[in-house]
Amino acid sequence: GESVGLHLPTLSVQEGDNSIINCAYSNSASDYFIWYKQESGKGPQFIIDIRSNMDKRQGQRVTVLLNKTVKHLSLQIAATQPGDSAVYFCAESPGRFNTGANSKLTFGKGITLSVRP
Amino acid sequence: NAGVTQTPKFRVLKTGQSMTLLCAQDMNHEYMYWYRQDPGMGLRLIHYSVGEGTTAKGEVPDGYNVSRLKKQNFLLGLESAAPSQTSVYFCASSYYRPANYGYTFGSGTRLTVV
């Protein structure tokens, strides 16, 4: 069935290092991908998104890479800071032209990023 | 703009009691969603709405009901609470199809059923 999964449940990185969080998806029709960050006690917050017609998109300290050949999505965080400690979710949408029952995101289970001082 | 507001933030219920969770958004979003989040389970969709007056079942709808009488509000009801419904509940909204815009989430409601 369709699923969005994360390779590792936890990731520990040293402050200042770069972090890479990976995500696999199985729906080849997926058209739109989003990374969310969820801090403790809060709701998920949008970080960055990418459409299937792109391979890479950069934001402030974050980069999302999309490899459609192997259905793989990754989030890179440069110079990881203590404030980056959170759970990160990838999400995918089946396509911008779907409506009704398909108008919802599918989420991965989440990976915890822990930043060591 | 307040975005997506959920009330209450915390609640403790006894088994068998009923309650309603309120989600309100001030962004004129068309689509609204209710998720529950449990440890190790990620976000699971309970019910959703693609417009005022419409609702649809998600992945785990049993034991819950919803209503979308006004575009800005999406209510989640528990008719007879069970301990298995202890969870954190998140509401989300989307301007149009989430394929174009993604979701905006509320801050959550932590519900404990004893």
Side-chain angles (χ1 to χ4, degrees):
Chain A
E2 298 171 355
S3 65
V4 178
L6 298 176
H7 293 309
L8 298 172
T10 60
L11 177 66
S12 179
V13 298
Q14 189 73 39
E15 181 179 355
D17 288 352
N18 296 335
S19 303
I20 300 176
I21 303 171
N22 296 307
C23 178
Y25 65 95
S26 59
N27 185 357
S28 58
S30 295
D31 179 70
Y32 179 55
F33 304 87
I34 308 170
W35 281 101
Y36 285 92
K37 173 186 180 182
Q38 186 178 22
E39 296 176 280
S40 180
K42 297 182 179 180
Q45 290 185 305
F46 174 94
I47 300 174
I48 192 168
D49 60 358
I50 189 168
R51 300 203 181 278
S52 60
N53 61 352
M54 302 173 68
D55 297 323
K56 178 180 180 179
R57 191 169 186 210
Q58 289 184 294
Q60 188 176 11
R61 284 201 306 117
V62 294
T63 301
V64 55
L65 298 176
L66 176 63
N67 185 331
K68 296 180 286 294
T69 302
V70 295
K71 296 182 210 165
H72 184 268
L73 188 70
S74 68
L75 176 70
Q76 300 179 358
I77 304 174
T80 310
Q81 302 171 358
D84 295 325
S85 294
V87 175
Y88 290 81
F89 295 93
C90 62
E92 57 100 8
S93 174
R96 70 177 70 194
F97 298 111
N98 285 318
T99 60
N102 288 332
S103 293
K104 51 191 182 293
L105 298 176
T106 299
F107 290 89
K109 292 198 187 318
I111 183 169
T112 300
L113 177 64
S114 176
V115 181
R116 303 189 303 272
Chain B
N1 286 341
V4 178
T5 303
Q6 292 184 232
T7 52
K9 295 189 183 302
F10 303 93
R11 184 73 184 269
V12 177
L13 283 180
K14 293 183 178 180
T15 298
Q17 286 185 319
S18 64
M19 77 163 294
T20 300
L21 282 67
L22 172 64
C23 177
Q25 52 91 5
D26 61 0
M27 298 172 286
N28 199 35
H29 281 181
E30 200 69 34
Y31 289 33
M32 297 187 75
Y33 307 82
W34 275 108
Y35 284 86
R36 61 177 289 173
Q37 186 177 39
D38 303 292
M41 300 295 290
L43 289 162
R44 292 186 291 170
L45 182 64
I46 305 172
H47 287 280
Y48 65 103
S49 169
V50 300
E52 181 179 321
T54 74
T55 62
K57 294 181 179 179
E59 180 185 356
V60 288
D62 294 342
Y64 305 95
N65 56 76
V66 287
S67 64
R68 183 98 182 268
L69 299 179
K70 294 182 178 180
K71 185 177 182 178
Q72 62 268 35
N73 295 336
F74 195 29
L75 279 62
L76 177 70
L78 285 73
E79 294 180 344
S80 179
S84 62
Q85 294 178 305
T86 294
S87 187
V88 180
Y89 292 86
F90 287 101
C91 177
S93 69
S94 176
Y95 175 65
Y96 193 42
R97 288 185 289 267
N100 292 341
Y101 300 99
Y103 293 169
T104 299
F105 281 91
S107 58
T109 296
R110 184 174 293 276
L111 175 66
T112 302
V113 182
V114 297

